[in-house]
Amino acid sequence: MTMTRLRFMALAASLSLGVALAAGGLPQSAAAAADRAVKIGLILPITGPFASTGAEELAGVKQYMADHGKTVAGRTIELVVKDDTGSPNETKRIAQELVTSGGVNVLMGFGLTPLAFATAPIATQAKVPMVVTAAATSSVTEKSPYIVRTSFVTPQGAYTMGDWAAKNGMKSAVTLVTDYAPGIEEQDWFVKAFETGGGKVVEQLKVPLKNPDFAPFLQRVADDKPDAVFVFVPAGVGAQFMKQFRERGLDKSGIRLIGTGDIVDDQFLNSMGDVALGVVTARDYTAAHDSEINRKFVKAFEAANDGMRPNFMAVGGYDGMALVYHALEKTKGDASGPKLIEAMKGLSWESPRGPISIDPKTRDIVQNIYINKVEKKDGQLYSVTMDTVKAVKDPAKAAK
Ligand code: DHB
């Protein structure tokens, strides 16, 4: 055997040891466990077109740590925050680095579906739990047995909204969605529910993800004159949509604006103005959610973030941390990937959004979906809950 080959084998051995350590795969004594931090690699779009998602998610994660301390089951929690700028190649590259030289025990974040898709193989390979706190396409959790989701699943809201619209006097609708995985899924599940309930979808419009101009699509909606237009855009884009909706006079056209909560994103709702009044959406969270836990959460969050209101992304991040804390309590501080992921299955707790749980079969979130209507309360715009559908599982997985 040549020296080069020997050297190569030594290097390979030290590399695989590095991976085992990173995944927490070595047995540890209780004392060693207490010393060693549990590292969470939080990858978010902190800059770029989806920076509003990164800001809400990061603030949600930090709020959980502020509320519950930085130690759980004798282990210190260490957060490593990385900006992927919303680019899938970056998310994947950062995740790879974090599970090898970064030594993280958990990957967290994933602000958009393509970012979660790109990273899933790394979680599988490294046996590191990947807590998805934003990306919402149903199939995300099927991309790796190490993925758990604490945000929402697009069909939860889209199906609930389609059903509600059909039962509340709307007979015709146009769908207008952002043209990528969660948008297409929103469209399909809205259509399914609305048409099952007797409604008719007369046109299905798709708007590009990058630099969207809604004007030509809104003109089509105006020409079609449906009873309702069902809209999906990713978080942060709702304000721009609303501006163009008003500029084209659609708010005075008699066409009802409905959608999932993304279009009335709480971070921007107040700045949208009266065009948002009366808009009905389905979502797992509204900042106006009427519970003691939520009132405390909103107050602390706004105080810590210059008045920024928490939206559904913030609770996704908050509960991503809750999931890790609860799982560590269950494993008594053992952060090895396979133990943590097992511990996460079936957990349930009360979130600022209400009761939530992790379906042990699908590793996806089960939660209430609220039908909310935008109203003015003390001069501020809020999505106020009119109706609640309890403990909704992902309808797309239930249909399989
Ligand atoms: C996704 C992103 C969003 O900002 C949102 O509001 C819903 C879904 C996504 O890419 O999965």
Side-chain angles (χ1 to χ4, degrees):
M1 201 175 281
T2 63
M3 265 315 280
T4 320
R5 176 143 172 79
L6 268 177
R7 230 185 268 134
F8 171 76
M9 285 175 69
L11 179 68
S14 75
L15 274 179
S16 63
L17 182 67
V19 171
L21 275 170
L26 291 184
Q28 316 150 335
S29 70
D35 290 346
R36 216 158 55 75
V38 175
K39 278 194 180 182
I40 299 176
L42 182 62
I43 316 176
L44 292 169
I46 310 262
T47 58
F50 300 100
S52 70
T53 292
E56 291 274 353
E57 291 271 339
L58 181 56
V61 164
K62 288 187 169 166
Q63 193 59 50
Y64 191 86
M65 295 177 83
D67 290 349
H68 298 88
K70 292 198 173 81
T71 309
V72 56
R75 307 275 315 251
T76 307
I77 305 296
E78 187 185 322
L79 203 57
V80 183
V81 182
K82 299 280 182 190
D83 177 14
D84 63 15
T85 71
S87 145
N89 288 341
E90 269 302 281
T91 321
K92 187 175 180 184
R93 185 191 62 74
I94 294 166
Q96 181 74 61
E97 195 175 286
L98 286 175
V99 298
T100 50
S101 53
V104 302
N105 303 92
V106 175
L107 290 167
M108 193 183 282
F110 313 100
L112 294 119
T113 290
L115 314 181
F117 281 167
T119 311
I122 291 170
T124 307
Q125 206 178 14
K127 297 189 166 53
V128 167
M130 174 172 157
V131 180
V132 172
T133 60
T137 303
S138 172
S139 64
V140 162
T141 45
E142 291 162 354
K143 301 293 181 195
S144 167
Y146 279 84
I147 293 181
V148 184
R149 177 157 37 203
T150 62
S151 47
F152 54 96
V153 198
T154 51
Q156 285 178 327
Y159 188 86
T160 305
M161 196 63 226
D163 187 51
W164 186 88
K167 286 178 178 152
N168 284 272
M170 289 162 232
K171 301 213 168 346
S172 62
V174 169
T175 56
L176 191 163
V177 302
T178 300
D179 191 6
Y180 78 127
I184 307 298
E185 196 169 62
E186 288 253 346
Q187 166 199 283
D188 292 350
W189 283 89
F190 174 83
V191 171
K192 193 180 286 213
F194 189 61
E195 296 204 332
T196 301
K200 176 99 190 88
V201 173
V202 295
E203 181 149 26
Q204 302 183 21
L205 301 169
K206 297 186 196 71
V207 184
L209 177 62
K210 283 193 183 144
N211 307 316
D213 175 11
F214 296 103
F217 301 97
L218 288 171
Q219 188 57 50
R220 297 287 289 268
V221 175
D223 294 344
D224 287 338
K225 294 191 183 58
D227 292 337
V229 55
F230 171 85
V231 178
F232 165 81
V233 293
V237 184
Q240 188 189 340
F241 171 79
M242 286 292 192
K243 186 167 169 279
Q244 293 196 345
F245 193 80
R246 182 170 41 77
E247 280 168 2
R248 303 205 74 80
L250 272 137
D251 55 334
K252 308 268 183 317
S253 68
I255 300 169
R256 292 278 303 270
L257 176 56
I258 57 175
T260 44
D262 319 74
I263 50 166
V264 288
D265 177 346
D266 264 305
Q267 189 181 144
F268 301 104
L269 179 56
N270 233 347
S271 66
M272 288 176 190
D274 288 354
V275 59
L277 278 173
V279 173
V280 176
T281 58
R283 181 38 43 92
D284 56 287
Y285 180 69
T286 159
H289 182 66
D290 189 14
S291 76
E292 189 58 38
I293 289 187
N294 186 52
R295 277 187 289 276
K296 243 181 90 192
F297 170 69
V298 173
K299 200 167 166 211
F301 188 98
E302 290 184 347
N305 296 286
D306 263 338
M308 179 170 78
R309 207 191 264 182
N311 68 8
F312 48 87
M313 292 298 185
V315 287
Y318 191 84
D319 286 321
M321 285 309 274
L323 175 73
V324 173
Y325 276 48
H326 294 326
L328 280 170
E329 279 159 8
K330 213 162 138 187
T331 65
K332 301 193 169 48
D334 187 337
S336 71
K339 291 241 173 77
L340 264 190
I341 195 82
E342 274 315 301
M344 287 172 177
K345 294 176 188 173
L347 281 174
S348 60
W349 66 94
E350 188 175 352
S351 152
R353 65 187 116 171
I356 63 175
S357 67
I358 302 297
D359 185 331
K361 278 208 201 87
T362 63
R363 290 163 278 101
D364 224 330
I365 188 160
V366 181
Q367 59 191 341
N368 295 345
I369 296 297
Y370 305 98
I371 301 285
N372 301 314
K373 185 176 185 179
V374 178
E375 291 175 5
K376 220 172 234 174
K377 280 195 352 186
D378 307 323
Q380 312 266 314
L381 294 174
Y382 279 100
S383 284
V384 179
T385 298
M386 301 193 287
D387 214 345
T388 303
V389 185
K390 290 203 168 139
V392 179
K393 286 190 174 190
D394 172 12
K397 292 192 185 81
K400 279 181 185 165

